Amino acid sequence: MHSSEERLENIRMIRDSAVAFAPASELVRVRGLRYQVPGFDGAVWREMADNGWLGLSLPEAQGGIGLGMAEYCALLEVFGAALLPEPFVPAVLAARLLDGEQLAAQLSGERLLLPALQEQVDSLEPSAGGTRLHNGKVRGRKLCIPMAAGADGFLVSTPDGLALVEAKAPGVKLEIVTTQDGGHFGHLHLDNAPAETLPLQAQALADALDEAALGTAAYLLGAAEQAFALTLDYLRTRKQFGQTIGNFQALQHRAVDLKLQLALWRASLDAAAATCDAGAPATQRRAAVSRAKARAADAALQVTRQAVQLHGAIGYTDECDVGLYLRKAMTLANLYGSSAQHRRRYDACMPRLASA
């Protein structure tokens, strides 16, 4: 079997195991966790860790499985279709920045450390201008930490690198802000909180953030495709004026437009994953990731909004599952950079790629 065939088989097995773990058709658990704290199930989280998914894309030397972005994105598409609320992408981002015992505890699910990198809403790059680390104590605030109430600790960016802060340490205050999907973001306020300094390479952080952006694009694609599938089923079964509404040409045209958006989105995502897996230069990788994330941010909102509209009045009720996908898209579209920010970064990469 050729290596490309082996890889396709790996992706198929990952998809199958993830679908068995989290079927897209079973949203009862997701609904039950909405507007709760911490908003996800610790037992489910540990099972995800036991499956090795947290280390799927980490090198084997670091305790991971050593697979690539194609496999990582395939897994996240399934998670998106099932609307899993567990903070998988942020936890993998944190794992990329850890080593030793801390990394082992993260990968095993024994501990959950989440990155706290933003000091302004909708940030593309990490910031540390307002955070100060002095004599083993950290002051400042960090914003928009997904599902932060379930974290055991936080990786806080500072001018000197990273600081590990325990969630229950003195001087740590977590403000919870509920999001549209029933989850939450945490705003972390630090007042001379005890911290452990961790080594950090700038390139490692940049690569980890790109992986998180691409993973979020894949999660959103899975969610949008499932919303589209629910919409097609509705168009095939709902009847008006004596026929199924899927026979109306105007609705067919709208469905085709959404299908095209999904196809372009998948092509962009697959191209970005392949570019990363091929070990392309950093500028080329950043451009590919930004193109995929920019398209994901816009298309996720377009597809899920249209899906709700095509369901008619029932689509706007909370009982209708399709609305859950719109809520998730509204929450995640700007995570790890909005479409405008990624377009700007893509444009900034173009001159360097042209001169290479």
Side-chain angles (χ1 to χ4, degrees):
M1 180 180 288
H2 299 296
S3 59
S4 60
E5 295 176 348
E6 291 175 355
R7 189 153 200 202
L8 289 174
E9 180 63 14
N10 284 339
I11 291 173
R12 185 194 65 77
M13 289 191 295
I14 289 169
R15 286 184 184 277
D16 288 348
S17 62
V19 168
F21 175 82
S25 60
E26 296 181 7
L27 297 178
V28 175
R29 184 181 78 91
V30 173
R31 286 185 173 278
L33 290 169
R34 290 192 305 160
Y35 307 108
Q36 305 296 316
V37 174
F40 63 93
D41 190 327
V44 170
W45 181 254
R46 286 186 290 275
E47 189 174 350
M48 293 169 74
D50 288 342
N51 287 335
W53 289 333
L54 285 167
L56 189 74
S57 61
L58 263 66
E60 293 182 42
Q62 294 179 260
I65 298 178
L67 298 178
M69 285 298 96
E71 291 86 352
Y72 180 63
C73 289
L75 178 66
L76 277 160
E77 286 176 36
V78 177
F79 289 173
L83 295 179
L84 286 194
E86 283 71 24
F88 184 81
V89 170
V92 172
L93 195 167
R96 282 283 187 183
L97 308 176
L98 296 168
D99 58 15
E101 294 181 359
Q102 295 287 4
L103 174 58
Q106 181 87 340
L107 295 182
S108 69
E110 179 184 346
R111 295 210 344 130
L112 174 57
L113 302 178
L114 294 178
L117 308 176
Q118 293 182 215
E119 290 173 4
Q120 58 186 23
V121 176
D122 187 22
S123 175
L124 175 58
E125 302 295 341
S127 52
T131 307
R132 293 288 178 264
L133 179 64
H134 181 65
N135 291 333
K137 304 234 174 173
V138 64
R139 292 177 60 88
R141 69 170 189 161
K142 298 293 179 181
L143 305 179
C144 300
I145 307 166
M147 310 305 284
D152 297 299
F154 302 96
L155 298 181
V156 178
S157 56
T158 74
D160 301 314
L162 286 180
L164 173 57
V165 178
E166 296 296 328
K168 295 182 179 180
V172 176
K173 179 184 177 182
L174 187 64
E175 175 189 358
I176 299 300
V177 178
T178 303
T179 51
Q180 286 281 352
D181 62 341
H184 66 268
F185 285 143
H187 298 333
L188 187 64
H189 301 270
L190 303 167
D191 185 9
N192 285 326
E196 175 187 350
T197 303
L198 299 179
L200 175 66
Q201 294 181 352
Q203 188 59 52
L205 178 55
D207 291 344
L209 286 166
D210 279 346
E211 180 181 67
L214 195 60
T216 302
Y219 184 104
L220 286 169
L221 177 58
E225 288 188 331
Q226 181 61 19
F228 183 64
L230 291 174
T231 303
L232 290 184
D233 286 343
Y234 183 79
L235 294 178
R236 293 184 185 114
T237 56
R238 178 76 168 94
K239 288 188 175 182
Q240 282 186 342
F241 309 112
Q243 60 179 316
T244 56
I245 61 176
N247 289 329
F248 300 151
Q249 194 173 60
L251 299 187
Q252 291 175 358
H253 288 168
R254 291 175 67 179
V256 169
D257 287 342
L258 297 184
K259 181 66 174 177
L260 288 173
Q261 285 295 325
L262 290 170
L264 291 169
W265 182 355
R266 175 166 293 284
S268 180
L269 182 73
D270 289 348
T275 299
C276 293
D277 289 341
T283 300
Q284 188 175 343
R285 294 199 309 272
R286 285 194 292 271
V289 169
S290 283
R291 182 176 60 185
K293 182 57 169 67
R295 181 171 289 280
D298 289 339
L301 293 173
Q302 179 183 354
V303 172
T304 54
R305 282 172 176 161
Q306 289 287 322
V308 169
Q309 291 177 12
L310 287 167
H311 274 75
I314 195 171
Y316 292 88
T317 66
D318 191 61
E319 291 77 12
C320 184
D321 285 344
V322 76
L324 299 178
Y325 293 90
L326 172 58
R327 289 174 178 270
K328 184 64 72 174
M330 294 170 66
T331 301
L332 296 185
N334 290 338
L335 195 61
Y336 305 114
S338 66
S339 61
Q341 288 173 316
H342 277 287
R343 284 195 182 93
R344 287 195 295 269
R345 192 174 79 156
Y346 180 85
D347 289 343
C349 290
M350 286 301 98
R352 282 174 281 175
L353 290 175
S355 62

